[in-house]
Amino acid sequence: MAQAKKLVEGYLLRAAHRSDIFAHILIWHLQSQAMAEQMEELRSKERRLGHVNKQLKIKVSFKLSLQESRRTGV
């Protein structure tokens, strides 16, 4: 696997050295791939945060309702 990875990397580097257009396309693609991975990581964190926010809202609402019922005597 590592050997195949090195072969592909070598091929891409040689091709980028021969062609500025290819080099720019390769850079564009690699940056896009990195951004896609970062976006997926952010989406995952956002989903976890959304769950935490829902739980926090439930707890705060419950405490407020208890305080309100104690104050009003209901």
Side-chain angles (χ1 to χ4, degrees):
M1 186 71 155
Q3 181 67 21
K5 193 174 182 180
K6 286 185 179 191
L7 287 172
V8 171
E9 182 180 330
Y11 173 80
L12 292 174
L13 287 173
R14 286 190 305 278
H17 182 70
R18 288 187 200 122
S19 168
D20 287 344
I21 292 173
F22 180 80
H24 283 85
I25 291 169
L26 181 61
I27 290 169
W28 182 270
H29 175 74
L30 294 172
Q31 285 177 335
S32 297
Q33 184 64 34
M35 289 179 66
E37 291 169 2
Q38 289 173 347
M39 289 300 295
E40 184 54 39
E41 183 180 331
L42 288 173
R43 284 186 198 105
S44 175
K45 288 179 181 179
E46 188 175 50
R47 285 189 293 271
R48 288 192 303 265
L49 184 58
H51 179 72
V52 169
N53 286 345
K54 286 178 187 177
Q55 295 301 315
L56 183 59
K57 179 184 172 195
I58 290 168
K59 289 177 182 179
V60 170
S61 296
F62 181 72
K63 278 194 167 209
L64 286 175
S65 66
L66 282 177
Q67 289 174 352
E68 182 66 25
S69 64
R70 287 181 187 148
R71 211 170 10 148
T72 60
V74 175

